[in-house]
Amino acid sequence: MPNTRPRKDPYLMAVIVLAIVFVIYWAAFFNYRFSTYQTKYYDAGVQLNSIYEHILYPSELPGLQYLVFGNHISPFSLLITVATAVFGSPYTPFVIQYLALALAGIVAYLVCRDILKSKVAGIAMFVAFLISAGTLGTASFDFHAEAFFPLFVLMAFYMYTTDNRIGFLSFITVTLCLQEAAPAICAALILGLLYYELVYNRGSHGTKALLHNEKMKTLALAVVLTAAFSVFYFLAGRYLISAYSGPYAITPPIMRYLPYIVYQFAAIGNSSAGAAAIYGLTLYFGLVGIAILFFGFGLGGIADPIMTLLFVSPWAYEIFVIHNFGFGVPLYQYYSYVIGGAIISSILGIKLLSDKKSVLKALWGRLISRASPTALGFSTLSMSIVIAMLLFGITYYGSFRVFLLSNVPSGPNFTGVGALLQANIPGNTTVMAAPSITPHLYYVKELELTPNANVQIFTSNGVQNASLSLYWTQPQYIVVDNIYNDLYTMDNANFSVYTYMGDNYTQIAQMHNPNVTIYKLR
């Protein structure tokens, strides 16, 4: 009898080993930052406190409020909350995030290997994903539900290519549960796939026959799901904005929801101030994003620029329409929204180039017409390395500065800070703390960041300028960290933080190495 056992894939084994190394490295990276008090309120403090609020004080989050995590509606984050409760460690969300990114790389390898029939192209795409500035920014900038976009988008695509309708729609649904921006991500995926089918898969039967095939029906069902979730997020957001009524003029941090959809439409055309600077930043971050998304995964990304633009259209919209430059900064998590789509476009582009179907085939000439998926895979690896090196200054150094040039003061006994906090601050209370302290107060009922002179607050009437004297009547405890940052600059003509604290708070605990002071409301 012939041997029917599947042959082992040594490349897959190598990919899995590298993925494990990736997870171990980033777990060590976070542990280093967390244990040396380099994580801040944004976004480690606010995310951890939000998760633990759902675990420890669920009665404080009635109805739809229980779906709000870190200013976003995120049904998926309930699963992260359950896992955190089971493992009982504030490290849990971060490790799960690193696992999700590593798995996304493995899926990129599998999709590339199966579609292009090239293990070399697959491992090149895997490495390109791991070293992409978008991946590094997502991994280094604390925890976000958005970090799961690459995994779920790539899994949805994998199911689509295998004609698994249930699997495809299931991963579309999971993606839509991540947060209120997810419908835009799914819409981009659907548009990119629809474009590919209409332009390259019409065959001899034409567009009419294509519109009635099974893939079109699958995409139509995905459109229905995406539309349904869009309506849900819009209505839920409108309700949450108007629902808060409580003893505080300021909405507690755990109950804040930013109306993402409303802000998106309001931002269109409202960038009149500093037009020259705005257009300069648009050009700069546009070029950075084009390097990451169009060239960072090889020649496939530019095989059909229109297709790639559709797959990464949420990024293009934020940069060129909204002028939301945070989406262009690789130090943040925002490239995770579209990096999955960029990989998909590159894989499809490599297939088009090797099949001589690219709309730019005349431009590429004989070089591309003779290229195999394996050769194009090498282009993926080489181009991703070049892009990574070009962006070293703004991404790699920023992400790895704690290892390359540590800014941790020498000498402080950081292990004593956590014991000091837990010995003096109970969980069922309100605390205002310096940014580096907040991630370690994840267990308190209400956790607030120290304000600055131009602070804006979230009230039942929307975002407004703060009344600082009112703002400071809220916390039962104030924690000041003199290692990295004291209170923000607040001693001005209108309000003095230190005078207010002297009149209303009593120092109850202090340690000098590092210098941390705890005050309690009289």
Side-chain angles (χ1 to χ4, degrees):
M1 292 181 62
N3 186 358
T4 58
R5 291 194 307 173
R7 289 187 297 178
K8 292 182 179 180
D9 181 354
Y11 287 94
L12 179 58
M13 295 298 105
V15 163
I16 292 173
V17 170
L18 288 174
I20 293 172
V21 171
F22 176 90
V23 173
I24 292 173
Y25 173 83
W26 284 108
F29 177 90
F30 174 74
N31 176 67
Y32 181 81
R33 294 188 66 221
F34 188 80
S35 61
T36 55
Y37 287 73
Q38 295 187 80
T39 50
K40 307 296 182 182
Y41 184 76
Y42 295 110
D43 285 334
V46 67
Q47 294 286 358
L48 279 175
N49 184 238
S50 182
I51 290 170
Y52 273 88
E53 181 74 20
H54 288 72
I55 297 171
L56 300 175
Y57 311 104
S59 61
E60 299 293 320
L61 302 166
L64 284 174
Q65 194 67 52
Y66 201 73
L67 297 180
V68 176
F69 291 82
N71 307 141
H72 294 285
I73 302 173
S74 178
F76 175 81
S77 292
L78 293 174
L79 297 178
I80 303 297
T81 300
V82 171
T84 304
V86 169
F87 290 101
S89 169
Y91 285 59
T92 303
F94 299 87
V95 174
I96 293 175
Q97 172 179 273
Y98 305 142
L99 285 169
L101 289 172
L103 286 172
I106 294 173
V107 174
Y109 166 80
L110 294 173
V111 173
C112 206
R113 180 196 68 181
D114 293 353
I115 291 181
L116 302 179
K117 311 301 181 186
S118 170
K119 297 183 178 73
V120 172
I123 202 166
M125 192 65 69
F126 169 76
V127 173
F129 173 76
L130 289 192
I131 68 174
S132 169
T135 304
L136 295 176
T138 301
S140 64
F141 186 41
D142 300 331
F143 171 81
H144 301 88
E146 298 96 302
F148 293 82
F149 275 129
L151 174 60
F152 296 152
V153 167
L154 287 169
M155 281 300 303
F157 177 65
Y158 187 69
M159 295 298 170
Y160 180 84
T161 61
T162 57
D163 295 320
N164 187 334
R165 176 181 293 175
I166 299 299
F168 174 73
L169 295 177
S170 296
F171 279 103
I172 287 290
T173 302
V174 174
T175 304
L176 289 166
C177 287
L178 285 174
Q179 51 130 285
E180 63 276 359
I185 309 306
C186 289
L189 174 63
I190 294 167
L191 283 173
L193 293 174
L194 181 62
Y195 174 87
Y196 179 80
E197 297 293 345
L198 290 175
V199 173
Y200 298 107
N201 280 347
R202 282 181 298 177
S204 59
H205 299 290
T207 303
K208 185 174 181 180
L210 176 65
L211 292 176
H212 289 85
N213 75 11
E214 293 302 312
K215 285 191 180 295
M216 291 298 102
K217 294 177 183 177
T218 299
L219 292 177
L221 291 172
V223 169
V224 172
L225 279 173
T226 302
F229 271 85
S230 298
V231 172
F232 164 73
Y233 282 124
F234 178 76
L235 295 178
R238 292 289 296 270
Y239 169 78
L240 288 167
I241 293 169
S242 61
Y244 175 73
S245 61
Y248 304 143
I250 304 166
T251 309
I254 55 168
M255 302 188 74
R256 294 175 187 166
Y257 167 67
L258 295 180
Y260 173 83
I261 299 174
V262 174
Y263 285 179
Q264 289 289 300
F265 286 109
I268 298 177
N270 287 341
S271 57
S272 56
I278 286 172
Y279 290 125
L281 287 171
T282 296
L283 176 62
Y284 173 74
F285 285 117
L287 291 175
V288 170
I290 288 171
I292 294 172
L293 300 173
F294 285 74
F295 293 90
F297 301 102
L299 291 174
I302 52 175
D304 187 334
I306 296 175
M307 181 174 67
T308 301
L309 182 61
L310 289 173
F311 276 115
V312 303
S313 54
W315 166 83
Y317 173 80
E318 293 291 336
I319 294 296
F320 297 107
V321 179
I322 300 297
H323 302 294
N324 183 355
F325 302 119
F327 271 74
V329 179
L331 292 176
Y332 299 145
Q333 80 280 10
Y334 296 114
Y335 279 100
S336 64
Y337 286 66
V338 294
I339 198 169
I343 291 173
I344 292 169
S345 181
S346 183
I347 292 173
L348 293 176
I350 291 174
K351 179 175 174 56
L352 294 174
L353 290 172
S354 60
D355 292 345
K356 307 180 185 64
K357 290 183 178 180
S358 168
V359 294
L360 297 181
K361 59 185 177 183
L363 177 65
W364 300 122
R366 293 184 178 180
L367 175 65
I368 297 301
S369 68
R370 296 177 181 178
S372 67
T374 297
L376 292 169
F378 278 114
S379 83
T380 298
L381 185 59
S382 59
M383 292 180 71
S384 65
I385 293 173
V386 169
I387 298 301
M389 294 303 295
L390 289 174
L391 296 176
F392 182 89
I394 60 174
T395 302
Y396 280 50
Y397 178 74
S399 297
F400 300 135
R401 64 187 181 277
V402 295
F403 287 157
L404 296 176
L405 184 62
S406 178
N407 61 356
V408 180
S410 60
N413 175 24
F414 289 105
T415 57
V417 179
L420 181 77
L421 296 174
Q422 297 201 19
N424 290 278
I425 300 177
N428 190 17
T429 190
T430 58
V431 182
M432 184 173 288
S436 59
I437 297 294
T438 54
H440 302 266
L441 290 168
Y442 57 84
Y443 62 90
V444 302
K445 186 175 179 180
E446 289 184 20
L447 179 63
E448 184 64 273
L449 184 68
T450 51
N452 58 47
N454 299 312
V455 70
Q456 287 188 318
I457 59 175
F458 300 83
T459 73
S460 56
N461 295 320
V463 180
Q464 300 178 351
N465 290 329
S467 169
L468 297 178
S469 58
L470 174 65
Y471 191 65
W472 276 72
T473 60
Q474 306 307 313
Q476 294 295 312
Y477 295 86
I478 297 174
V479 185
V480 180
D481 163 22
N482 291 315
I483 317 167
Y484 299 110
N485 39 43
D486 200 334
L487 298 174
Y488 287 175
T489 304
M490 292 285 292
D491 286 319
N492 54 57
N494 298 320
F495 186 76
S496 170
V497 168
Y498 292 104
T499 299
Y500 180 81
M501 287 175 61
D503 294 339
N504 296 279
Y505 286 80
T506 301
Q507 178 179 314
I508 62 170
Q510 185 178 31
M511 61 185 299
H512 296 285
N513 189 23
N515 192 348
V516 175
T517 308
I518 301 176
Y519 299 87
K520 184 177 181 180
L521 186 66
R522 294 194 184 108

